[in-house]
Amino acid sequence: MKKPIQLALAAAIAGCAISAQAKESSVDDYRAMLGDSPGILWVEDGELIWKQKTGPKNTGLEKCDLGKGPGVLKGAYAELPRYFKDTDQVMDLESRIKHCMITLQGKDASEIDKAAFSNPKKYIDSDMEKIVAYVAAQSNGLPFNIKLDHPKEQVAYDAGETLFWRRSSKMDFSCATCHAQDGKRIRLQTLYNAYNKDDGQIIASWPTYRVSHSTVRTMQHRMWDCHWQMRLPDIDYASDAANALITFMTKEANGSIIQVPSIKR
Amino acid sequence: MKKTILSTLVMGLFATSAFAMGDKPQSDAAFSDKQVNHAQALIDNSWTQADPKDRKRFVQDKTQYLCSIYKDQPPADIAKHIVEMNKAVTSYPEGGITLGDWKAGEKLANSGYGLRIGNIKADNPKKKPNGGNCYACHAMAPSQAAAGNLGPSLANYGIRGTSDAMLKYTYQKIFNAQATKACSNMPRFGYHGVLDDKQIADIMAYMLDPNSPVNAK
């Protein structure tokens, strides 16, 4: 697996140096490479886990309502985060799956949180990463379409943008320090600009298989990772702050076509 | 030095809400008081598992608060106020500004270690000192290709020489970048105690010493 990735990357880098035309074809190569994400294995496992009878109530998640009615998966991710009447909350995909695990399967909230992120180095697996990959992939080919129709959705968006610009801690960082300008990099890692519509494609490529993590990572994990890098404490899994940030970023990515799980560094 | 620590502490004691309610210069701020207070409520309910000591890192000083509500683009009078506040908390080494060891500075420029906290993957200060992580954002030695571009290129920074003015400017940028530019993206390394005076002297040597790879022809 490793070698084709390196070759494709080398081709992409060489392509940039040669000409605009070569650059075009290298972008195609790169996109073709994204089609070969090992994340598909997580999608396949996720489908089995979704249907598996488990938890104190010994049921599957087939009746989970992700916003388009119980059991409707196609297109559900394209409209998340959204407001849910039953919880009176704006919830992202992971918060809603967690909610279904609690209400349908009788699972314990803190146990779900603890198991949300895998740790491949310690052989700690995560059902959540697999379920998220499976459910999100059922929206592949569809554009993100966050409407902000409900007042609480607009409130979440506004809070998300406020948090996005909020500087704190020992490095004075906010999300915007790295993610509000075009063409910026940390070392060689390109940085997405939340306000650039073209960069919405980056949001639409999560969940993603992260080569450096040897697993599929979700958007909630990305929220943890960025706060860790900003020298802030671990953000609670599926918390209001994480959901607000995800609401802001996903709304800004409206129209971007979902293609998951992609593959990233 | 003592004075700086004291001022840092005093500034740190102000809670965000104190700025949101009193001291109101933000008529054209990007975010309303209501939005700022709601964001604060989310911070209060979304880090429940964190150590209360670690949660103090969310408490903003006045500079962080003002830059946040203006999306890092404060109007001229507030920008001036931010620069003045940060000048006031910039202290200089007792024996004057000197250059340290550029090889030690090179290591610091390459290291992003330090101050990451939490239960998943915290940095251990006993294991390794804090880095300056200059290469994350700046090109420096022309031979080092893996350099970021959030900040300006510092390649051949040393051709400007080592006059007192250059030493002071460079020290100030590292100690407290907002003493020269309000809402600069650059962390205030000295002000926050991320780097000590010896480390700053080493990084300055890496930037200014004629033998440093940063100044390779």
Side-chain angles (χ1 to χ4, degrees):
Chain A
M1 196 62 220
K2 226 170 188 177
K3 217 165 188 186
I5 294 169
Q6 284 168 347
L7 284 175
L9 276 174
I13 292 162
C16 293
I18 298 164
S19 71
Q21 206 181 357
K23 192 178 166 189
E24 281 297 309
S25 72
S26 75
V27 170
D28 289 344
D29 289 350
Y30 183 70
R31 292 228 170 98
M33 183 188 82
L34 296 189
D36 291 336
S37 169
I40 192 70
L41 300 170
W42 274 250
V43 173
E44 285 166 9
D45 285 352
E47 181 171 12
L48 297 177
I49 298 165
W50 181 258
K51 292 171 182 167
Q52 197 175 52
K53 289 183 173 35
T54 176
K57 295 187 185 172
N58 197 37
T59 55
L61 289 165
E62 290 103 321
K63 289 196 178 117
C64 181
D65 183 352
L66 296 166
K68 295 180 81 72
V72 181
L73 298 187
K74 192 174 168 52
Y77 183 51
E79 294 173 22
L80 289 167
R82 71 190 297 161
Y83 173 79
F84 287 88
K85 208 175 170 189
D86 55 2
T87 57
D88 190 30
Q89 268 182 321
V90 175
M91 302 169 99
D92 78 328
L93 174 59
E94 293 169 73
S95 309
R96 193 62 186 175
I97 292 170
K98 176 182 166 182
H99 170 78
C100 287
M101 287 173 162
I102 296 165
T103 53
L104 298 176
Q105 297 180 316
K107 288 185 177 172
D108 178 71
S110 65
E111 294 299 319
I112 297 167
D113 292 350
K114 259 188 248 164
F117 304 150
S118 67
N119 187 342
K121 275 186 198 151
K122 291 184 182 165
Y123 302 100
I124 298 169
D125 209 6
S126 160
D127 285 353
M128 185 60 90
E129 284 170 357
K130 294 170 183 170
I131 291 173
V132 170
Y134 166 62
V135 175
Q138 307 314 306
S139 291
N140 275 343
L142 299 171
F144 265 121
N145 182 21
I146 307 299
K147 296 191 185 84
L148 303 188
D149 284 342
H150 193 278
K152 285 209 173 177
E153 292 171 346
Q154 184 65 49
V155 168
Y157 173 95
D158 290 343
E161 190 179 23
T162 311
L163 289 170
F164 188 83
W165 286 91
R166 191 183 191 278
R167 297 182 74 163
S168 63
S169 196
K170 303 280 186 186
M171 299 285 192
D172 298 312
F173 289 149
S174 69
C175 308
T177 305
C178 291
H179 298 292
Q181 295 173 83
D182 286 332
K184 293 297 179 186
R185 300 189 320 266
I186 286 181
R187 293 275 187 165
L188 296 180
Q189 176 65 53
T190 52
L191 299 163
Y192 124 99
N193 175 359
Y195 292 97
N196 182 328
K197 284 287 164 205
D198 292 339
D199 283 8
Q201 204 52 55
I202 306 294
I203 299 297
S205 69
W206 283 77
T208 187
Y209 178 82
R210 289 200 64 183
V211 177
S212 57
H213 293 214
S214 308
T215 188
V216 164
R217 291 304 190 192
T218 67
M219 194 45 86
Q220 287 281 342
H221 185 273
R222 187 64 254 182
M223 295 302 102
W224 168 79
D225 201 342
C226 272
H227 284 92
W228 174 75
Q229 287 287 15
M230 289 193 285
R231 276 73 179 174
L232 287 166
D234 301 327
I235 190 168
D236 292 352
Y237 185 72
S239 60
D240 288 349
N243 290 346
L245 282 163
I246 294 170
T247 302
F248 162 66
M249 292 189 295
T250 313
K251 168 70 180 169
E252 290 299 313
N254 258 3
S256 300
I257 307 294
I258 297 166
Q259 280 303 345
V260 297
S262 64
I263 178 169
K264 294 184 195 296
R265 185 180 65 86
Chain B
M1 197 67 210
K2 223 172 192 176
K3 201 176 164 200
T4 314
I5 294 166
L6 198 82
S7 327
T8 310
L9 278 174
V10 171
M11 287 183 85
L13 285 175
F14 288 101
T16 321
S17 55
F19 296 123
M21 289 184 298
D23 193 56
K24 259 194 197 173
Q26 73 271 39
S27 54
D28 297 304
F31 302 113
S32 66
D33 281 359
K34 200 174 159 192
Q35 275 170 279
V36 170
N37 290 337
H38 187 225
Q40 183 60 45
L42 296 198
I43 288 169
D44 294 342
N45 82 7
S46 300
W47 273 269
T48 60
Q49 306 301 307
D51 185 321
K53 180 169 75 13
D54 290 346
R55 289 173 55 99
K56 288 196 179 127
R57 292 203 184 175
F58 283 106
V59 178
Q60 293 176 305
D61 71 11
K62 200 172 171 185
T63 297
Q64 289 172 332
Y65 169 74
L66 288 171
C67 292
S68 301
I69 63 166
Y70 287 104
K71 290 189 173 179
D72 291 331
Q73 303 280 336
D77 56 331
I78 289 166
K80 194 167 163 247
H81 178 54
I82 290 169
V83 166
E84 277 163 9
M85 273 193 305
N86 282 284
K87 273 202 172 114
V89 292
T90 298
S91 68
Y92 296 90
E94 269 163 37
I97 302 167
T98 51
L99 300 186
D101 170 7
W102 69 257
K103 284 181 182 162
E106 183 172 45
K107 276 190 194 143
L108 292 166
N110 273 297
S111 165
Y113 196 82
L115 296 162
R116 296 191 192 93
I117 51 176
N119 297 317
I120 300 177
K121 221 169 123 188
D123 288 336
N124 179 359
K126 285 177 196 150
K127 204 172 122 192
K128 244 168 113 176
N130 295 341
N133 211 13
C134 315
Y135 275 108
C137 299
H138 297 282
M140 297 184 88
S143 54
Q144 172 59 283
N149 66 356
L150 273 163
S153 169
L154 303 172
N156 288 299
Y157 186 84
I159 56 170
R160 297 166 186 90
T162 54
S163 64
D164 285 351
M166 270 299 286
L167 290 180
K168 190 181 169 193
Y169 176 82
T170 309
Y171 179 89
Q172 206 171 40
K173 272 284 179 192
I174 301 171
F175 189 94
N176 186 342
Q178 299 203 48
T180 49
K181 187 184 170 215
C183 306
S184 164
N185 274 340
M186 182 160 159
R188 293 171 289 170
F189 288 103
Y191 164 73
H192 283 301
V194 178
L195 299 173
D196 62 28
D197 278 348
K198 187 192 170 298
Q199 289 177 305
I200 295 176
D202 290 341
I203 291 169
M204 284 180 64
Y206 185 54
M207 296 169 74
L208 290 162
D209 192 308
N211 298 315
S212 156
V214 170
N215 301 313
K217 293 273 171 347

